[in-house]
Amino acid sequence: MIRVDAVLLQRLAQITEEERELLQGRGVDRALYASGRAFEVDAAKMLEKGKLMSIRPHTRFAPFPRHSHNYVEIMYMCRGKTVHRIDGDALVTLEAGELLFLNRHASHAIQRADAGDIAVNFIVLPQFFDEAFNMAGMDNVLSRFLLGELYTGGAAVSYLHFRVREVLPVQNLVENMVWTLVNRQPGARRINQVTMGLLLLQLMHYTECIDMSRNGSIRSPMVEAALREIEENYRAASLTDVAAAFHVGLPYLSAEVKRATGSTFKELLLHKRLDKAARLLRETRLTIQEVCAAVGYDNTSYFHRVFRRRYGKSPKEYRSELWKTENAT
């Protein structure tokens, strides 16, 4: 079920000069992509100077050798399919309408794609995501976990495979970005940063459609459920309830959360509550006591203590400084 505009798809399907050489039996020319002996695809070779994001059709007619890249890669399958082997073991088949996000340091090889297998690669520098992450709300603990590793190049998440071919808003947003970049629309950077933010917001509503690698293993639904519990029920989140739903012991699930995220459930919950409190202080006129209650604390003294530990100032000082800054501008 391909939704990409037919005229745009026709442009993407055109055989490139590189592909003509591959059809003559030549292998992939690594010098087009990387410098040095290691096959790390270099953003400097893929992006025009000063650009934070670009797009190129996926190279067909030859297997693409194992490589890494010093940027975040997002592949969108317009038609057909591609088969990827990621980090040496995970075999991922990307079908039409699906998205594959690859960590900056993920290693992967791609089996030969034929003429009808049309995909686009988004080449994205990490700083491009700044605006997108602000829109997606990085106080969202689930998005921080799933997307933060791609942004920072950490080791916990190598790739995210979004099986979203039936999700029309996602298809429309991706097509908008493809169209903007292919047609070099004026103001493309700002347009696409906003579009990327909307795309991330949409994708975070479909976490059940995600396959991902975490240190070579498949994602844990229990851990995602625990993170979703924090996100959706942070005022009274309970890891005990999640453990009961999955028929596992609380210590086991607690250890799994710690192993997967590097933080305890309690630490993640505290982080979420304080992020939410800071946002309420910035964006509302709720009293400090009302903010405290809104994020799930009935002990105001404790709230003040942990807030100061996190932000280096009391909630009142935090709000006062923000308002002074806004009035000064």
Side-chain angles (χ1 to χ4, degrees):
M1 182 188 65
I2 184 60
R3 301 186 188 279
V4 175
D5 176 80
V7 175
L8 184 57
L9 188 62
Q10 186 176 21
R11 288 184 63 180
L12 295 172
Q14 292 177 1
I15 296 177
T16 66
E17 184 63 35
E18 178 190 9
E19 289 176 330
R20 289 192 184 94
E21 294 189 4
L22 293 174
L23 283 168
Q24 294 173 8
R26 300 177 184 176
V28 171
D29 183 358
R30 299 188 180 203
L32 294 175
Y33 299 90
S35 303
R37 298 180 64 182
F39 196 8
E40 180 182 74
V41 182
D42 188 357
K45 288 182 173 284
M46 299 289 103
L47 289 168
E48 295 178 23
K49 188 174 182 180
K51 297 287 187 181
L52 298 179
M53 182 170 80
S54 187
I55 193 173
R56 71 186 309 274
H58 172 63
T59 302
R60 299 164 294 178
F61 309 123
F64 204 92
R66 179 166 299 283
H67 63 285
S68 60
H69 14 68
N70 59 10
Y71 53 86
V72 176
E73 182 176 76
I74 303 171
M75 179 178 276
Y76 176 69
M77 204 69 217
C78 302
R79 190 173 70 191
K81 66 180 180 181
T82 48
V83 180
H84 305 249
R85 187 168 293 279
I86 305 175
D87 288 343
D89 56 359
L91 199 64
V92 175
T93 299
L94 192 66
E95 304 279 358
E98 297 181 347
L99 284 159
L100 181 64
F101 283 58
L102 287 155
N103 181 300
R104 282 191 289 160
H105 303 301
S107 167
H108 74 130
I110 309 169
Q111 295 180 11
R112 175 192 166 105
D114 291 316
D117 301 317
I118 302 170
V120 291
N121 290 317
F122 292 91
I123 295 101
V124 191
L125 294 183
Q127 54 266 43
F128 177 86
F129 285 103
D130 290 344
E131 180 65 24
F133 274 21
N134 286 337
M135 289 188 62
M138 288 307 285
D139 64 336
N140 180 321
V141 69
L142 186 57
S143 65
R144 184 187 298 113
F145 174 58
L146 294 179
L147 302 172
E149 286 293 323
L150 301 179
Y151 178 77
T152 62
V157 179
S158 294
Y159 70 85
L160 298 174
H161 177 197
F162 290 91
R163 300 179 184 273
V164 287
R165 59 183 302 166
E166 301 296 336
V167 183
L168 182 59
V170 168
Q171 305 299 320
N172 289 339
L173 289 166
V174 176
E175 181 178 340
N176 287 343
M177 285 199 294
V178 173
W179 190 94
T180 299
L181 290 164
V182 168
N183 291 286
R184 295 178 173 269
Q185 181 177 352
R189 177 183 294 187
R190 179 59 179 165
I191 291 169
N192 284 326
Q193 282 180 317
V194 172
T195 306
M196 182 66 78
L198 294 172
L199 176 63
L200 297 182
L201 281 170
Q202 285 289 346
L203 291 175
M204 287 303 99
H205 288 298
Y206 295 95
T207 55
E208 72 279 4
C209 298
I210 303 174
D211 288 335
M212 75 183 190
S213 165
R214 185 185 296 117
N215 292 330
S217 62
I218 301 300
R219 66 187 174 96
S220 166
M222 289 186 299
V223 172
E224 289 188 19
L227 298 180
R228 195 174 292 110
E229 170 74 1
I230 292 173
E231 180 58 32
E232 298 175 356
N233 190 33
Y234 59 86
R235 289 187 64 188
S238 168
L239 189 61
T240 301
D241 292 345
V242 179
F246 282 88
H247 308 289
V248 297
L250 180 60
Y252 173 77
L253 180 54
S254 180
E256 284 294 290
V257 171
K258 173 72 172 179
R259 182 185 66 81
T261 68
S263 300
T264 66
F265 183 84
K266 184 177 179 180
E267 290 167 343
L268 293 169
L269 179 58
L270 176 63
H271 195 133
K272 169 65 182 181
R273 286 174 168 175
L274 292 178
D275 279 347
K276 183 66 176 178
R279 176 172 288 190
L280 291 173
L281 289 169
R282 292 194 305 268
E283 300 176 0
T284 75
R285 292 186 175 273
L286 293 174
T287 67
I288 305 299
Q289 189 169 359
E290 288 170 336
V291 169
C292 176
V295 299
Y297 290 117
D298 53 15
N299 186 326
T300 307
S301 297
Y302 176 75
F303 171 66
H304 277 74
R305 186 164 65 254
V306 294
F307 191 94
R308 181 181 289 278
R309 187 184 306 150
R310 168 79 178 278
Y311 293 102
K313 57 196 72 163
S314 71
K316 182 178 180 180
E317 292 167 342
Y318 179 87
R319 170 177 273 172
S320 296
E321 289 185 12
L322 284 173
W323 285 0
K324 286 178 183 177
T325 302
E326 289 175 1
N327 291 334
T329 58

